[in-house]
Amino acid sequence: YQGGDIFWGSICIKANAQSCGECIQVSEACGWCTDENFLTVGESKSARCDDLESLKKRSCDPTKVENPRGLIQINKNKPVTIRKKDVPEKLDPEQITQIQPQKLTLTLRSGEPQTFDLKFKRAEDYPIDLYYLMDLSFSMKDDLENVKNLGTDLMREMQVITSDFRIGFGSFVEKTVMPYISTTPARLINPCTGNQNCTSPFSYKNVLKLTNKGDEFNRLVSRQQISGNLDSPEGGFDAIMQVAVCEEQIGWRNVTRLLVFSTDAGFHFAGDGKLGGIVLPNDGKCHLENNMYTMSHYYDYPSIAHLVQKLSDHNIQTIFAVTEEFQPVYKELKNLIPKSAVGTLSSNSSNVIKLIIDAYNSLSSEVILENGRLPEGVSITYKSICKNGVVGTGENGRKCSNISIGDEVSFQISIESKECPSHGKPEVITIKPLGFNEEVEVVLNFICDCQCASDGEPNSEKCHEGNGTFECGACKCNDGRIGRLCECSKDEVRTEDLDANCRKDNGTDICSNNGDCVCGTCECKKRENPAEIYSGKYCECDNFNCDRSNNKLCGGHGRCECRKCICDANYTGSACDCSLETSTCLAKNGQICNGRGTCECGVCKCTNPKFQGPTCEICPTCPGVCAEHKDCVQCRAFQAGEKKDTCQQDCSYFQLIKVAKLPQPTDQSFPLTHCKERDANDCWFYYTYAIRNDNKEVYVVETLECPPGPDIIPIVAGVVAGIVLIGLALLLIWKLLMIIHDRREFAKFEKEKMNAKWDTGENPIYKSAVTTVVNPKYEGK
């Protein structure tokens, strides 16, 4: 990949195609240049094979490029039939078309898919053949009673679907060998026990071929008797095989074919016959004699895959009507057999008519496309556009579901060939919807060689004394000859004399180690990147080993030829990295490198060391433009400033123009710098500095902008008022502090007063006023 694009050239060149036919087999993108003078010195014959864009860049005339394309031709395209039941005129099945087109011819080129549309439409009132195949082992006795009237009842119900309906009947039991049945003479006559009257065991019997007479069905089925066998699985697969392949005896027409398989047991399949000593695989052929299968004792049961193939080949859709017990087994079988359905049969088959109609509606509402065997190297893909615009791809692209009668669906089918078949002859494949007798025939033609090959000149003198066929602008060598002009024999390829012709200046390297010496001529090697090419008589040149700049070959401003850069206009240097353009050196003032340097290869080289930057405009140590010219503008415009005394000598390098209003940048066609500076008296002055046509111009506003003087009275009044206010504030603060202090002292006094206690017993000078005298004679009485 490069930038998201595929290197088709790499694919084409890597193939090393030696002829136009080989080239077009590589990829659909490859073409072959037939111009005799197309190849340069050192290029091999295979260099004629490249992608179309590369051939164009390499100057090959588009009219001389062989690039055949595939095509599609519709040979038979009969429109699908629009048919309604209420139309009096009925059509034969052969007159009804449900698929369109019917035949195509595709011309395939390797790697180029061809896509065509296929249309399918379910026809109204399409004929149906239904064959009822029933298990007549003893366990199905009660079911047989309910099936005896099936013919007329089913005929009546099917009239709703189609007016052309036929029905047939067959029965099966088991192979007539041990251990499937008892082979004792008595059991061969009546396999049932007790007083049950059963018929002799048999493998398969075609009781009634397909007919439109429902009463005939009832009459013949009423005569049938139950039989019996020993094991539980039945020999139903033998019966299905015979029903599928014996088309004439069954009476199948090229219409919708339904096979109803009714049983209450499992099935034997390939390999089970070994139990009875039967080892020959089923041959898949019809062996009915007098409507009886006569080879059950000779051939094994068919495999499931064998049944699938035969049912598909004969367009038979199968309905398995089985009891609840065996539903899981037959549902798994249904998944293996396309266009089949499973219905639950009641214990006595009383619901068989509803089961058949439901299964038919399910099968007919789905169309599945299948194709026959594909030739080697051919692939096919499907895309379905179904009802209501539903799109399917992959495996789902083969089918559409929920199709009602009269609905139309379409498929996009792509067929691609990866290689040309070895025989090169046309192939035929068929595409058909499963369960339908119609099919599409697709004839495949393969483009295995170029058109110009048919005009080839055998044993041409252009190919070294007639050692090859000159075709498509190049020599196609005869066996044993090689070289661009078939000039060498394979036996002479490595001789020293021929190798000497491939050494430059009698050196030691053959073809500069960049090629192979073929017949004394260097054929240069091919690189992984097809854009990188070795060339020259000795492969001494290439287009990828030149000097680089910014990691680009020739700086991206030239092409590499024989290891030297050929620069584009306005570029020079060994790597085309030196631009002759000066636009990148222009400074803002319009000067090249700001007048302080030279422009070399599109880059400024500053001559003044103080200046730097891409255009020599940056000066980190310089004052600004405004500060640099401030003193000169001030002295010349206002006769003031530091250079007032030397103004005439130092400040005459610019033209001064006094104005009332400065020009704006939009008013000028040259760079302009606005300045604002202040003098010693704090007055502002404004000016602009510009360089126009190498003349320095200064525009200065003629009046200074000075600040006004101070107003004394408001200032004094403000100061006095401030002092008074500050004094009042200090007095208020002092008064507030005193009030707070007094309140704290009073609170402290009150608290001490409440806590005071006057204890008299502690006063040393205190004497009580009471005297107590005790009577000595008092005894307490």
Side-chain angles (χ1 to χ4, degrees):
Y1 290 86
Q2 183 181 51
D5 296 327
I6 298 176
F7 272 127
W8 287 113
S10 178
I11 299 173
C12 304
I13 291 176
K14 275 185 179 180
N16 199 31
Q18 296 300 308
S19 67
C20 186
E22 291 180 20
C23 178
I24 63 173
Q25 298 303 314
V26 177
S27 167
E28 62 166 324
C30 297
W32 177 272
C33 185
T34 62
D35 186 352
E36 293 183 38
N37 303 316
F38 174 66
L39 297 180
T40 60
V41 176
E43 283 189 305
S44 64
K45 184 164 46 177
S46 61
R48 291 181 177 274
C49 183
D50 208 341
D51 68 278
L52 304 181
E53 189 63 29
S54 296
L55 289 175
K56 182 178 179 182
K57 290 179 180 178
R58 292 168 60 192
S59 303
C60 181
D61 187 345
T63 62
K64 294 186 177 182
V65 175
E66 280 285 329
N67 182 37
R69 314 308 298 180
L71 56 89
I72 298 174
Q73 181 181 0
I74 298 177
N75 307 111
K76 188 177 181 181
N77 194 28
K78 185 180 178 182
V80 292
T81 302
I82 301 174
R83 181 188 184 199
K84 295 184 179 180
K85 288 177 60 179
D86 53 1
V87 176
E89 182 184 359
K90 297 299 181 182
L91 299 175
D92 292 334
E94 292 77 13
Q95 296 176 296
I96 300 174
T97 302
Q98 298 184 105
I99 194 166
Q100 179 188 0
Q102 295 79 40
K103 183 177 180 180
L104 305 95
T105 299
L106 271 57
T107 302
L108 298 179
R109 177 181 170 180
S110 296
E112 181 188 24
Q114 297 296 327
T115 303
F116 61 92
D117 291 332
L118 187 147
K119 186 190 301 182
F120 178 85
K121 181 177 182 180
R122 279 189 63 190
E124 306 273 356
D125 195 24
Y126 196 70
I128 298 174
D129 283 354
L130 184 145
Y131 192 86
Y132 196 93
L133 183 59
M134 185 174 181
D135 176 9
L136 285 189
S137 59
F138 187 76
S139 58
M140 293 287 285
K141 182 179 180 181
D142 56 345
D143 299 82
L144 181 59
E145 293 299 322
N146 285 314
V147 175
K148 288 180 178 179
N149 295 321
L150 177 65
T152 53
D153 294 343
L154 189 57
M155 280 279 187
R156 184 170 54 253
E157 293 292 335
M158 293 300 287
Q159 287 296 323
V160 178
I161 299 173
T162 177
S163 60
D164 189 356
F165 177 73
R166 299 199 310 169
I167 190 170
F169 184 83
S171 58
F172 67 91
V173 181
E174 186 55 276
K175 287 185 180 296
T176 55
V177 296
M178 282 289 288
Y180 311 110
I181 66 166
S182 174
T183 56
T184 61
R187 286 287 182 259
L188 286 175
I189 297 173
N190 183 1
C192 301
T193 58
N195 298 324
Q196 300 293 337
N197 186 20
C198 299
T199 188
S200 299
F202 58 92
S203 176
Y204 162 66
K205 181 194 301 182
N206 178 28
V207 178
L208 174 67
K209 71 184 300 184
L210 291 163
T211 178
N212 57 4
K213 299 175 181 178
D215 53 353
E216 181 70 9
F217 180 95
N218 294 349
R219 184 178 65 82
L220 288 176
V221 173
S222 299
R223 296 179 181 178
Q224 301 306 304
Q225 286 182 294
I226 292 296
S227 186
N229 60 324
L230 295 180
D231 61 342
S232 176
E234 314 294 3
F237 276 16
D238 273 341
I240 293 177
M241 178 62 76
Q242 293 303 302
V243 171
V245 299
C246 298
E247 289 196 354
E248 184 178 349
Q249 291 87 336
I250 302 300
W252 292 117
R253 298 178 295 171
N254 285 329
V255 297
T256 299
R257 299 175 176 182
L258 299 178
L259 170 61
V260 179
F261 182 84
S262 175
T263 184
D264 64 349
F267 48 83
H268 286 296
F269 52 89
D272 288 354
K274 291 181 180 180
L275 295 173
I278 303 172
V279 295
L280 284 178
N282 195 287
D283 66 350
K285 295 181 180 179
C286 181
H287 298 289
L288 289 185
E289 293 183 12
N290 297 322
N291 288 322
M292 296 290 290
Y293 179 40
T294 58
M295 302 297 285
S296 67
H297 64 288
Y298 191 75
Y299 289 116
D300 192 6
Y301 302 99
S303 65
I304 294 175
H306 200 179
L307 276 184
V308 170
Q309 177 194 346
K310 292 301 180 181
L311 290 171
S312 175
D313 289 346
H314 296 274
N315 304 314
I316 296 174
Q317 304 177 62
T318 311
I319 301 172
F320 296 104
V322 297
T323 55
E324 183 70 34
E325 178 184 358
F326 287 94
Q327 281 286 308
V329 175
Y330 282 90
K331 283 183 178 178
E332 289 297 326
L333 182 61
K334 166 191 172 294
N335 294 333
L336 300 174
I337 302 179
K339 292 295 282 186
S340 62
V342 177
T344 303
L345 190 67
S346 61
S347 59
N348 58 3
S349 296
S350 59
N351 67 331
V352 68
I353 293 179
K354 183 178 185 303
L355 185 154
I356 291 172
I357 292 176
D358 290 345
Y360 167 75
N361 289 332
S362 173
L363 289 172
S364 60
S365 66
E366 182 178 54
V367 58
I368 303 174
L369 295 185
E370 71 164 3
N371 52 267
R373 186 191 65 83
L374 296 173
E376 185 177 357
V378 175
S379 62
I380 185 169
T381 58
Y382 296 86
K383 178 182 178 182
S384 59
I385 298 92
C386 304
K387 194 174 179 179
N388 300 322
V390 177
V391 177
T393 56
E395 281 303 308
N396 291 329
R398 290 175 174 267
K399 60 186 178 182
C400 282
S401 303
N402 301 321
I403 304 173
S404 304
I405 292 174
D407 285 345
E408 183 176 294
V409 296
S410 62
F411 297 85
Q412 289 181 359
I413 303 175
S414 294
I415 299 179
E416 181 179 356
S417 173
K418 294 297 183 185
E419 60 187 21
C420 213
S422 55
H423 55 74
K425 297 178 181 178
E427 296 272 4
V428 178
I429 63 172
T430 57
I431 301 173
K432 67 176 184 179
L434 283 174
F436 294 86
N437 64 299
E438 298 177 61
E439 63 183 22
V440 179
E441 180 182 346
V442 183
V443 179
L444 303 181
N445 293 321
F446 300 91
I447 302 176
C448 296
D449 211 340
C450 300
Q451 182 65 37
C452 59
S454 60
D455 301 326
E457 181 184 341
N459 303 319
S460 172
E461 288 300 320
K462 295 180 180 179
C463 300
H464 191 73
E465 301 177 355
N467 286 316
T469 300
F470 188 78
E471 62 179 44
C472 303
C475 286
K476 187 175 183 180
C477 299
N478 297 336
D479 290 340
R481 305 295 296 187
I482 57 174
R484 275 177 61 173
L485 300 176
C486 310
E487 64 271 27
C488 285
S489 168
K490 287 184 178 179
D491 300 331
E492 303 171 350
V493 172
R494 297 302 303 168
T495 63
E496 288 299 323
D497 291 340
L498 291 175
D499 284 351
N501 295 330
C502 297
R503 293 188 177 98
K504 184 179 181 181
D505 300 330
N506 293 324
T508 57
D509 294 335
I510 295 177
C511 298
S512 307
N513 291 328
N514 296 323
D516 299 317
C517 187
V518 180
C519 302
T521 303
C522 285
E523 289 193 359
C524 303
K525 295 178 181 177
K526 298 181 178 67
R527 302 266 300 174
E528 183 74 21
N529 183 348
E532 298 177 353
I533 300 172
Y534 288 112
S535 60
K537 182 179 179 181
Y538 301 101
C539 302
E540 73 278 13
C541 295
D542 62 60
N543 65 347
F544 55 87
N545 271 324
C546 292
D547 291 342
R548 293 175 178 266
S549 177
N550 294 326
N551 203 30
K552 293 180 180 179
L553 193 67
C554 297
H557 302 300
R559 66 185 185 278
C560 182
E561 291 186 2
C562 205
R563 302 185 178 183
K564 289 185 180 180
C565 285
I566 307 299
C567 300
D568 297 339
N570 293 325
Y571 284 93
T572 186
S574 63
C576 301
D577 53 351
C578 183
S579 173
L580 301 179
E581 286 284 341
T582 59
S583 59
T584 55
C585 296
L586 290 178
K588 294 179 181 178
N589 57 14
Q591 293 182 307
I592 292 179
C593 299
N594 197 28
R596 294 183 171 88
T598 59
C599 185
E600 299 178 8
C601 297
V603 178
C604 283
K605 302 291 184 181
C606 302
T607 54
N608 189 329
K610 293 195 302 181
F611 289 86
Q612 55 184 279
T615 53
C616 302
E617 292 181 278
I618 301 173
C619 182
T621 60
C622 297
V625 173
C626 296
E628 181 181 357
H629 304 291
K630 169 187 172 183
D631 292 336
C632 283
V633 172
Q634 188 179 7
C635 81
R636 289 189 58 181
F638 305 107
Q639 293 77 43
E642 295 180 2
K643 293 189 177 182
K644 179 176 65 173
D645 298 332
T646 61
C647 192
Q648 189 66 30
Q649 295 83 3
D650 298 341
C651 302
S652 59
Y653 58 87
F654 60 83
Q655 179 184 358
L656 182 71
I657 304 154
K658 291 185 178 182
V659 294
K661 181 182 178 183
L662 292 177
Q664 298 301 312
T666 55
D667 298 337
Q668 306 296 328
S669 59
F670 49 88
L672 193 69
T673 303
H674 276 253
C675 299
K676 177 183 178 183
E677 297 292 337
R678 186 162 54 185
D679 63 12
N681 298 321
D682 287 337
C683 291
W684 294 97
F685 60 96
Y686 302 88
Y687 67 94
T688 62
Y689 180 84
I691 300 175
R692 179 166 57 178
N693 299 328
D694 293 332
N695 295 321
K696 299 178 177 65
E697 295 181 349
V698 173
Y699 287 80
V700 62
V701 176
E702 54 191 358
T703 58
L704 295 169
E705 185 180 289
C706 297
D711 196 346
I712 302 300
I713 295 176
I715 294 174
V716 173
V719 172
V720 172
I723 294 172
V724 172
L725 290 174
I726 292 172
L728 290 175
L730 291 174
L731 286 174
L732 288 174
I733 292 171
W734 176 82
K735 181 63 177 176
L736 180 61
L737 292 174
M738 292 302 296
I739 292 173
I740 293 172
H741 179 266
D742 290 345
R743 287 184 177 180
R744 286 180 177 174
E745 289 295 323
F746 181 74
K748 182 178 180 182
F749 169 76
E750 287 292 327
K751 183 177 180 182
E752 291 178 350
K753 179 180 177 182
M754 292 177 64
N755 292 337
K757 293 182 180 179
W758 307 99
D759 191 352
T760 56
E762 295 180 359
N763 190 346
I765 64 173
Y766 175 78
K767 292 184 179 180
S768 176
V770 179
T771 303
T772 302
V773 180
V774 179
N775 186 355
K777 296 294 185 178
Y778 179 68
E779 299 179 352
K781 298 179 180 180

